[in-house]
Amino acid sequence: MRRGRLPTPGGLGSVEAALVVALVAVGGAAAPATAVVLVFRVVTVWLPLLPGALTLGALVRLKVI
């Protein structure tokens, strides 16, 4: 049975790898480039989830949804 390749949400993994490669290609060091890309992903993907989760919890607690 063949296994298909499924895209990950938000290009998770492949986008980070491409960004690190791009930063290193323009002259950056690999370790700082990796750190910058991981901070970028945390700020743009994971932090915005926090207010949404808190709002969802409040709405469920208030029986709005």
Side-chain angles (χ1 to χ4, degrees):
M1 176 189 240
R2 279 181 66 176
R3 291 186 180 208
R5 291 188 178 157
L6 299 175
T8 57
L12 191 62
S14 59
V15 171
E16 287 84 359
L19 288 172
V20 170
V21 168
L23 289 171
V24 170
V26 295
T34 303
V36 166
V37 168
L38 291 177
V39 168
F40 165 75
R41 183 56 90 167
V42 166
V43 169
T44 60
V45 174
W46 297 109
L47 283 182
L49 291 175
L50 183 60
L54 294 174
T55 302
L56 177 62
L59 291 174
V60 168
R61 207 172 321 109
L62 296 171
K63 297 185 183 189
V64 174
I65 55 172

